[in-house]
Amino acid sequence: MEIENNTSYSFWERTSHISFLKRLLYPKKVEKSLKTPSIITEECEGLLLNNQLIKSILFSTDLALIENNDCDAILAVYPFSPSKRIMESIINFSSKPVICGVGGARTQGRTSVEMSVFAEKYGASAVIVNQPFKAKDIAKIKQKINIPIISSVTNLQCDFEKRIDAGVSIFNVTGGSQTLAIVKHIRQHFPHIPIICTGGKSLQDITRVIENKVKAVILTPPSNATMFKKAMENYRKGIVKFKNYF
């Protein structure tokens, strides 16, 4: 499966506008601006994190996006070394389970172990490492924490069995064009291991991964820049229409 990469909102654009009358009549019911596609909540089996059933996971560290979506959990990873301040801020801000990135190609060994202990202490529901992270360091983390360890998988060269033996209990498949092949491989050889998976940007991509029995789908929201660009375009159109009345 090729994960689509474009600047469109894609399925996020399907969010319905909340009318003034609806807000007036139902003030206690707060609907989020970025709504999860219903197929995820209806078709995914889900997995338990902190005794909460998780079917949709938002991939973001942006507090505004975290506040304005209705996903079940947050995936807090970024292309820098793990930060205690970022972990603590997102965990304290979010009312949902948070999965914290603690290691990868840059950060391994003792630092990752310390970050994992810190993440658990401050309330993270799981920690996640990427494929270059060494299995021996996964084993060290496992000795120190009780929350689940998730391993990202980007290709079939991953030593799945070695990582499971080290302490990984969930695989996160993010393999681009190899995504479905990786999911099928894990399901065939390690059927007892839950799989979460990137869902791409289209409903078609999401449907494909759900059909392959992943437990939860990871959604990447549009950026603030993309949403502002769309809003500004609509504002300009509205101003032109308003001027045409005079």
Side-chain angles (χ1 to χ4, degrees):
M1 179 188 70
E2 185 71 42
I3 297 298
E4 294 183 9
N5 184 19
N6 53 53
T7 58
S8 171
Y9 281 29
S10 139
F11 60 82
W12 296 109
E13 285 185 318
R14 297 172 182 268
T15 300
S16 59
H17 175 69
I18 305 171
S19 68
F20 171 76
L21 182 60
K22 190 173 183 180
R23 291 198 301 269
L24 184 64
L25 295 176
Y26 306 100
K28 293 183 179 179
K29 185 178 181 181
V30 179
E31 296 188 23
K32 300 297 184 178
S33 298
L34 297 173
K35 294 180 69 65
T36 302
S38 59
I39 187 173
I40 296 177
T41 55
E42 293 169 359
E43 301 295 335
C44 272
E45 181 180 342
L47 74 159
L48 288 176
L49 289 179
N50 269 4
N51 293 318
Q52 296 186 49
L53 187 63
I54 306 302
K55 297 184 177 185
S56 57
I57 303 170
L58 187 79
F59 171 33
S60 181
T61 55
D62 187 308
L63 299 187
L65 295 176
I66 290 172
E67 176 69 12
N68 288 282
N69 86 93
D70 63 353
C71 285
D72 301 321
I74 305 300
L75 175 61
V77 297
Y78 36 88
F80 311 104
S81 297
S83 163
K84 291 181 180 180
R85 292 177 63 188
I86 293 175
M87 283 184 188
E88 185 177 5
S89 297
I90 293 174
I91 292 169
N92 288 340
F93 179 82
S94 178
S95 59
K96 306 170 183 179
V98 178
I99 302 167
C100 290
V102 295
R106 287 185 177 185
T107 307
Q108 301 196 20
R110 186 175 67 180
T111 301
S112 290
V113 174
E114 291 174 353
M115 286 293 176
S116 299
V117 172
F118 180 89
E120 182 178 43
K121 177 183 176 181
Y122 277 87
S125 297
V127 296
I128 187 168
V129 299
N130 64 22
Q131 189 164 321
F133 196 78
K134 297 175 182 176
K136 67 176 184 178
D137 289 333
I138 293 175
K140 291 176 183 177
I141 292 174
K142 183 64 177 176
Q143 292 173 357
K144 297 291 185 179
I145 66 173
N146 295 310
I147 57 177
I149 302 173
I150 303 171
S151 174
S152 290
V153 181
T154 55
N155 58 53
L156 287 168
Q157 282 64 57
C158 177
D159 193 334
F160 298 96
E161 190 166 359
K162 192 173 183 179
R163 297 177 93 73
I164 294 169
D165 291 342
V168 166
S169 56
I170 303 168
F171 282 119
N172 166 39
V173 178
T174 173
S177 61
Q178 297 185 64
T179 294
L180 289 184
I182 297 169
V183 169
K184 290 175 181 178
H185 177 87
I186 296 172
R187 286 189 58 225
Q188 179 181 354
H189 297 282
F190 311 100
H192 61 292
I193 299 294
I195 302 170
I196 62 177
C197 180
T198 49
K201 290 189 176 181
S202 74
L203 288 175
Q204 183 179 32
D205 286 337
I206 292 171
T207 301
R208 286 173 180 169
V209 297
I210 290 175
E211 287 174 348
N212 280 273
K213 306 301 181 184
V214 299
K215 297 290 186 180
V217 178
I218 299 171
L219 302 174
T220 303
S223 68
N224 277 327
T226 300
M227 288 189 288
F228 265 121
K229 180 180 179 181
K230 185 77 173 181
M232 290 301 112
E233 289 174 352
N234 290 334
Y235 294 160
R236 293 183 192 107
K237 291 176 183 177
I239 290 171
V240 170
K241 288 180 181 179
F242 179 76
K243 285 182 177 180
N244 288 338
Y245 282 107
F246 299 93

